[in-house]
Amino acid sequence: MKYIVEHMEPLPMSEWVTLEYKKMLQDVGKENLLICSLPKDTKLDDITKELIDLGLQWTTLQLDELHKDYPSFTNIQDKKMCLLDPRGKTELCCDDVNKYEVCILGGILGSHPPRDRTKELKDKHPGLLEGKRLGSLQMSTDTACRCAYYILDKQIPFDQIKFIDYPEIRFGKREAVEMPFRYILDDVTGKPILPDGMLKLMKKDSEQSIDDLF
Ligand code: SAM
């Protein structure tokens, strides 16, 4: 399977977005991931250098034009693209690997309560993207990508994937944040799978918000 993220956050890429994209690269491989719809005036400097060095493929082309430059990511008109959408009508299943060639994800940092920004993707390409759900709870973009990868590439049914919902992440005796997302559990550690460096970033962000109170 190929995975396309429609980038919907501002540039230059934030640390949070960088860590999520890096994790997706590690999970699905650089040849299978493409970040599209970056603003037309995007410069190489707007993309985190570490991602470029890891071979991240990116383009300012929109979903409906990128097949000319990236033929292996298929033509949207062929209707082999499935939109991972928390409001999709049916669940993504292992057999969908025979129906689709590409999964589309919204490159959106989650919000709580969730705003349905994934809908913007559906509205942009009416009738061309079939929406598929990964359960009803909001996941981070990298978690949704990993979940689809388990279902389609590894053929692990959704109900056999272990999740943890809204985990509390503790940084010390007194500091903790509740993450309003569903994460996949790491079988070995029993902890939520997060991008490398994300815990450090969460700690930095929580200290920043405490500092902002004073
Ligand atoms: N609340 C957000 C919104 O505005 O749509 C959800 C954004 S989520 C952080 C980023 C992307 O991950 C979504 O656009 C979607 O592609 C995918 N995603 C997250 N949770 C999902 C779920 N339960 N089912 C299907 N896709 C999901």
Side-chain angles (χ1 to χ4, degrees), residues 84-86 104-106 108-111 114-118 132-141 144 181:
L84 296 178
D85 179 3
I104 312 292
L105 296 117
I108 305 164
L109 291 178
S111 48
R115 288 187 287 146
D116 186 14
R117 286 174 67 201
T118 310
K132 286 279 172 175
R133 207 173 45 208
L134 301 163
S136 55
L137 291 186
Q138 170 176 230
M139 300 175 185
S140 60
T141 309
F181 300 109

Side-chain angles (χ1 to χ4, degrees), residues 84-95:
L84 296 178
D85 179 3
R87 310 229 173 160
K89 289 201 176 66
T90 52
E91 302 289 336
L92 187 74
C93 67
C94 296
D95 283 348

Side-chain angles (χ1 to χ4, degrees), residues 12-171:
M13 281 176 188
S14 66
E15 274 184 84
W16 199 287
V17 169
T18 298
L19 294 183
E20 290 198 354
Y21 287 177
K22 189 173 162 192
K23 188 68 181 160
M24 285 185 246
L25 274 172
Q26 291 165 342
D27 284 344
V28 306
K30 62 180 179 187
E31 63 289 355
N32 297 321
L33 181 70
L34 176 65
I35 312 295
C36 81
S37 304
L38 283 147
K40 283 275 175 245
D41 58 352
T42 302
K43 300 177 293 305
L44 196 58
D45 282 356
D46 295 321
I47 318 284
T48 314
K49 184 172 178 309
E50 194 186 359
L51 294 175
I52 301 288
D53 292 345
L54 289 169
L56 182 78
Q57 304 187 78
W58 64 274
T59 177
T60 57
L61 295 172
Q62 301 284 319
L63 265 188
D64 53 358
E65 43 186 25
L66 55 77
H67 63 281
K68 292 176 210 144
D69 286 8
Y70 299 91
S72 64
F73 284 82
T74 83
N75 185 337
I76 195 169
Q77 299 293 342
D78 295 342
K79 298 200 178 173
K80 297 218 162 174
M81 290 184 176
C82 122
L83 173 67
L84 296 178
D85 179 3
R87 310 229 173 160
K89 289 201 176 66
T90 52
E91 302 289 336
L92 187 74
C93 67
C94 296
D95 283 348
D96 283 332
V97 74
N98 302 313
K99 194 168 172 196
Y100 305 111
E101 289 180 15
V102 180
C103 281
I104 312 292
L105 296 117
I108 305 164
L109 291 178
S111 48
H112 189 64
R115 288 187 287 146
D116 186 14
R117 286 174 67 201
T118 310
K119 184 173 179 296
E120 291 172 31
L121 288 176
K122 259 183 300 191
D123 294 348
K124 242 180 171 181
H125 309 286
L128 293 175
L129 296 175
E130 193 170 346
K132 286 279 172 175
R133 207 173 45 208
L134 301 163
S136 55
L137 291 186
Q138 170 176 230
M139 300 175 185
S140 60
T141 309
D142 65 297
T143 304
C145 181
R146 185 172 318 112
C147 186
Y149 177 75
Y150 281 14
I151 295 171
L152 299 171
D153 292 81
K154 292 184 158 194
Q155 292 286 291
I156 304 173
F158 181 79
D159 60 8
Q160 285 177 28
I161 301 173
K162 292 192 194 105
F163 295 103
I164 178 164
D165 300 336
Y166 302 160
E168 185 183 66
I169 313 273
R170 291 218 141 260
F171 303 118

